[in-house]
Amino acid sequence: MSKSIILVGGATASGKSKLAMELAVSKNGEIINADSMQIYKDLPILTAQPDTHDKSIVKHHLYEIVSFDTRFSVGKWLVHAKSAIEDIVKRGKTPILVGGTGLYFEALVKGLANIPDIPLEIRNKTIELYEELGEDSFRQKLSELDNHSALKIAKNDKQRLIRAYEVVLFTEKSLHYWQESGKTNNPDFTPEYHLLLPPREKLYEACDRRFENMIKLGAIEEVSGLLSKTDDIKVLGFREIKDYIEGKITLNEAVSKAQQKTRNYAKRQMTWFRNRWNFPDVIFY
């Protein structure tokens, strides 16, 4: 039997969490996280986790479930998400998935390519190569093994470049090959799409205000508490706050740089959702 699920997508700071709460209250739903950063513990402010008030009103799933030193893939998220959906449906409620990580939504609705697990040593070797060569030279080297990915992957998308390289290096087949060669079977979902696409200027203003509010709420102290454990977390604003704590830049510089990176990220998300959620039945906000 098909399961009705609600997907709420959009860029960072676009108002997804607020909309998901409204839908959950009106449709007897529970919320499932579909954001790749909000699965992690220890940085609830910097990753804009739902607050305790919202969690007391509506049950939330898959937030703060692993530590930052845990490698967490789309496949692992999919296993957790399927389990949460099944549980919510069994209890007669509506699953509402909310986030800005498009690959999570794609994996859930379309299935996940059966790419072999890449050994950690291969991944580390690939990351080291990227850091040594820089993006342009690394992309050129990737083109020698997988020209399709080298041409297709957007500029500054370090994560996907590394992923494409490690896959072809280990499997001797391109990422495109694995994506087209068959996908895992997913339960029969009937998704209802809700997409937030605010005007760009309004979105950028929201990005700026949100980061300023994060600083007021204690983001600096949050980052400071993690520096003894790690100094390399791929969360917007972490590196800039780290540099401020270490005296490399001023607080104003840290805030300005983090806001710019957040706006750039929001722009990429908007582009992704416009291109991939271009169905006639999408509900726009």
Side-chain angles (χ1 to χ4, degrees):
M1 184 176 179
S2 180
K3 304 171 186 66
S4 295
I5 62 174
I6 294 175
L7 308 183
V8 179
T12 186
S14 62
K16 299 185 299 296
S17 296
K18 180 181 178 183
L19 176 58
M21 281 293 296
E22 293 171 355
L23 291 170
V25 171
S26 65
K27 297 180 179 290
N28 187 31
E30 294 183 6
I31 294 173
I32 301 173
N33 170 41
D35 184 282
S36 62
M37 290 295 101
Q38 291 183 336
I39 61 165
Y40 291 110
K41 302 175 183 177
D42 302 320
L43 286 174
I45 296 172
L46 209 55
T47 57
Q49 300 278 350
D51 59 30
T52 54
H53 176 262
D54 286 353
K55 289 181 178 179
S56 70
I57 297 173
V58 172
K59 189 169 183 179
H60 287 63
H61 303 261
L62 308 193
Y63 291 90
E64 299 186 86
I65 59 173
V66 296
S67 60
F68 272 101
D69 57 0
T70 302
R71 187 177 176 187
F72 200 82
S73 64
V74 177
K76 289 181 180 179
W77 175 85
L78 187 57
V79 170
H80 285 278
K82 287 181 183 178
S83 177
I85 289 170
E86 294 289 343
D87 173 57
I88 293 168
V89 170
K90 283 180 182 178
R91 290 185 282 105
K93 297 199 171 188
T94 303
I96 299 172
L97 292 97
V98 57
T101 303
L103 290 179
Y104 282 7
F105 290 121
E106 292 257 300
L108 179 66
V109 176
K110 297 182 179 180
L112 192 64
N114 290 301
I115 303 173
D117 290 336
I118 308 300
L120 186 58
E121 62 186 76
I122 298 293
R123 166 162 286 250
N124 289 339
K125 179 181 177 181
T126 304
I127 293 172
E128 289 174 6
L129 183 64
Y130 183 97
E131 298 297 343
E132 176 187 337
L133 297 179
E135 179 178 337
D136 292 342
S137 296
F138 183 87
R139 188 185 294 271
Q140 178 60 39
K141 197 167 183 64
L142 173 62
S143 70
E144 298 169 6
L145 302 174
D146 178 3
N147 192 52
H148 181 275
S149 293
L151 292 173
K152 182 179 179 182
I153 296 173
K155 185 175 177 58
N156 297 323
D157 197 339
K158 174 181 175 180
Q159 183 175 349
R160 290 189 66 200
L161 285 168
I162 289 173
R163 178 60 171 162
Y165 192 93
E166 70 179 9
V167 167
V168 71
L169 183 65
F170 179 66
T171 69
E172 299 184 349
K173 289 181 171 49
S174 71
L175 187 59
H176 180 69
Y177 166 85
W178 289 108
Q179 291 171 337
E180 296 300 317
S181 65
K183 297 186 175 182
T184 55
N185 293 321
N186 280 342
D188 184 13
F189 297 125
T190 302
E192 178 180 296
Y193 293 88
H194 294 252
L195 179 56
L196 291 98
L197 287 177
R200 184 170 294 182
E201 287 187 7
K202 183 178 179 181
L203 177 63
Y204 287 175
E205 289 173 4
C207 289
D208 290 350
R209 287 196 307 271
R210 187 166 77 166
F211 194 79
E212 290 168 359
N213 192 48
M214 287 176 174
I215 296 297
K216 293 176 183 176
L217 290 173
I220 295 173
E221 292 77 11
E222 195 173 71
V223 171
S224 180
L226 275 178
L227 289 182
S228 62
K229 303 176 183 177
T230 180
D231 63 354
D232 187 24
I233 294 177
K234 303 298 188 292
V235 173
L236 288 169
F238 182 90
R239 182 174 295 276
E240 290 72 28
I241 292 177
K242 171 181 173 289
D243 287 346
Y244 162 68
I245 292 171
E246 295 177 347
K248 297 177 181 177
I249 57 177
T250 67
L251 180 56
N252 284 341
E253 288 172 328
V255 170
S256 179
K257 288 182 178 182
Q259 287 173 328
Q260 182 62 58
K261 283 188 177 179
T262 303
R263 294 193 299 269
N264 292 344
Y265 179 61
K267 181 181 179 181
R268 293 196 298 272
Q269 287 178 301
M270 293 270 279
T271 299
W272 190 95
F273 279 107
R274 281 198 182 99
N275 290 338
R276 306 299 279 268
W277 283 23
N278 56 354
F279 318 119
D281 56 345
V282 173
I283 302 171
F284 291 97
Y285 296 82

